[in-house]
Amino acid sequence: MKHISILALQGSTMTSLDGTYQLFSRINDFLKYKGESPFYKIEIVGGAEEILLNGGLYKIQVHRRIDEIKKTGLIVIPIICGDFEMMIKANTPFVQWIKEQYHYGAEIACLCVGSFFLASTGLLDGKKCATHWASKNEFQVLFPHIEVLEGSIITDERGIYTSGGTYSYLNLLLHIIEKHLGREMSVLASKMFEIDIERKSQNQFAIFMGQKRHNDAEVLKAQEFIENNPEQKLAIKEVCLRFGVGRRTFERRFKKATGNSFIEYMQRVKVESVKKELETGHKTINELIFEVGYNDINAFRKIFKKYVGISPIDYRNKYKVQYFPG
């Protein structure tokens, strides 16, 4: 039997604690229906016997305190909300226990922005990580030495799993169940909980928000100029002349500050502009492509799919405002 410790951290969301507990519990039920023994022993573990969540809106009673758990098989770090640096400090008492358990063979499953706390333990050093697309920039400011796999739903490296996107933690749990009990059990869980087991990317959900938490004034001005003029065909030499910087130096500074090359940044801004129009407007896709400065329609379609994961027509079909009779 594999012991699971779901950590009730300060700032934990009730949905991630209970959702994890329910999903693993149902796996045991499925096994019982098949006449087999339960595989998981699931406990919610905290620093005290009662934990307040969501500013006191919820109060949960943990199964055991962390100091009572000498050995566990899987640690689940839930989604945490609030100021991440404050949450990291508030949960410092868990750090040494987590590191010791990992050293003795425990796996760690980190849900969404729980990655901020996991990164603070040092256990993500030298590993790749997923996190929510909206928190990627802040994560990289705090932990510049950790590589974030942009758009990824799941990472799986040396017994540490991370997930990106709030409810995509369910996909991570299916992945772990498949590793423990096989594909058939994972598929059964996906059907019973109606989770899209094939979802592999956050890209179609992401809104591009350029990294602006840096101190390079010229780069920031260039970012704002690009974002305010998505229809313009901008050449890097024009921008360099506008802001009085040399091209080679500017390209290096732009990449360092934003995490994107100048060309990538401009492409992302244009793609984001088209996405908004696809959601609400009535112009044809070709018209929208021309309006953001592209004459080569096929080239833009490839760029769009590169960053969004689906074609412009599929994006429109999925996200355009629908009107229903009645």
Side-chain angles (χ1 to χ4, degrees):
M1 183 174 285
K2 194 170 191 73
H3 184 264
I4 298 178
S5 297
I6 305 170
L7 301 187
L9 301 174
Q10 294 295 320
S12 300
T13 66
M14 187 68 192
T15 52
S16 62
L17 291 172
D18 186 60
T20 302
Y21 185 83
Q22 294 297 332
L23 185 51
F24 282 123
S25 296
R26 295 296 78 76
I27 295 301
N28 283 342
D29 291 341
F30 299 157
L31 290 169
K32 290 178 185 178
Y33 297 151
K34 295 172 65 177
E36 300 177 18
S37 299
F39 183 78
Y40 295 114
K41 179 181 179 182
I42 312 138
E43 293 185 318
I44 296 178
V45 178
E49 292 181 358
E50 289 187 341
I51 308 293
L52 297 178
L53 303 176
N54 293 63
L57 181 62
Y58 303 110
K59 179 170 68 174
I60 64 169
Q61 187 170 356
V62 304
H63 293 98
R64 283 199 284 173
R65 296 192 314 274
I66 193 171
D67 57 10
E68 298 176 300
I69 308 293
K70 303 306 179 186
K71 186 171 176 58
T72 192
L74 173 66
I75 298 167
V76 179
I77 296 175
I79 300 170
I80 57 174
C81 288
D83 181 286
F84 293 123
E85 292 185 81
M86 289 179 60
M87 291 302 102
I88 287 169
K89 291 178 182 177
N91 290 299
T92 299
F94 288 86
V95 171
Q96 189 58 37
W97 180 85
I98 292 170
K99 292 168 74 171
E100 289 175 356
Q101 293 298 321
Y102 180 66
H103 175 75
Y104 290 120
E107 299 173 291
I108 300 175
C110 182
L111 313 186
C112 191
V113 290
S115 55
F116 282 79
F117 176 62
L118 179 58
S120 76
T121 69
L123 292 176
L124 282 178
D125 292 358
K127 300 181 182 69
K128 298 178 176 62
C129 171
T131 193
H132 196 288
W133 59 263
S135 301
K136 172 180 174 287
N137 290 343
E138 185 174 357
F139 184 93
Q140 293 194 310
V141 168
L142 291 177
F143 307 104
H145 57 290
I146 298 174
E147 181 183 357
V148 177
L149 292 185
E150 186 168 2
S152 291
I153 290 254
I154 295 169
T155 64
D156 176 345
E157 194 171 356
R158 286 177 274 169
I160 293 181
Y161 313 94
T162 65
S163 68
T166 308
Y167 286 101
S168 63
Y169 79 85
L170 296 170
N171 294 87
L172 174 58
L173 299 185
L174 291 182
H175 175 75
I176 293 170
I177 290 164
E178 182 170 342
K179 292 195 75 171
H180 292 166
L181 293 165
R183 179 72 173 180
E184 182 180 354
M185 184 60 71
S186 180
V187 168
L188 175 59
S190 78
K191 290 180 177 179
M192 296 300 292
F193 282 85
E194 300 188 29
I195 304 167
D196 182 3
I197 198 171
E198 291 303 318
R199 203 152 67 86
K200 304 297 182 186
S201 172
Q202 299 183 68
N203 286 342
Q204 63 181 278
F205 306 104
I207 301 170
F208 179 63
M209 299 184 294
Q211 163 65 290
K212 295 188 176 74
R213 292 182 63 183
H214 57 78
N215 299 315
D216 195 318
E218 283 77 22
V219 169
L220 186 59
K221 289 176 183 177
Q223 289 175 265
E224 292 172 348
F225 183 74
I226 293 168
E227 291 172 12
N228 291 332
N229 299 277
E231 75 288 348
Q232 290 199 25
K233 296 179 181 179
L234 298 174
I236 191 168
K237 63 181 180 181
E238 298 172 13
V239 176
C240 290
L241 284 172
R242 177 180 288 271
F243 297 110
V245 291
R247 176 170 178 167
R248 183 172 297 181
T249 300
F250 179 74
E251 286 183 309
R252 176 181 54 78
R253 285 166 54 185
F254 195 96
K255 175 74 173 179
K256 180 180 179 182
T258 70
N260 292 275
S261 70
F262 177 84
I263 297 298
E264 289 170 340
Y265 201 95
M266 192 166 58
Q267 288 174 340
R268 286 173 173 264
V269 168
K270 291 177 183 295
V271 165
E272 199 61 39
S273 177
V274 170
K275 281 168 59 181
K276 291 176 183 177
E277 287 295 323
L278 290 172
E279 292 167 15
T280 59
H282 300 284
K283 293 179 181 179
T284 69
I285 291 171
N286 288 356
E287 285 177 318
L288 296 176
I289 292 173
F290 290 138
E291 286 183 0
V292 293
Y294 273 82
N295 293 321
D296 189 334
I297 292 170
N298 289 331
F300 184 83
R301 289 175 187 270
K302 289 178 182 177
I303 290 168
F304 189 97
K305 191 165 186 178
K306 171 186 174 183
Y307 292 121
V308 184
I310 56 179
S311 69
I313 186 63
D314 289 338
Y315 188 89
R316 167 167 272 173
N317 290 339
K318 189 163 190 173
Y319 291 107
K320 184 172 175 56
V321 176
Q322 300 292 322
Y323 296 97
F324 299 97

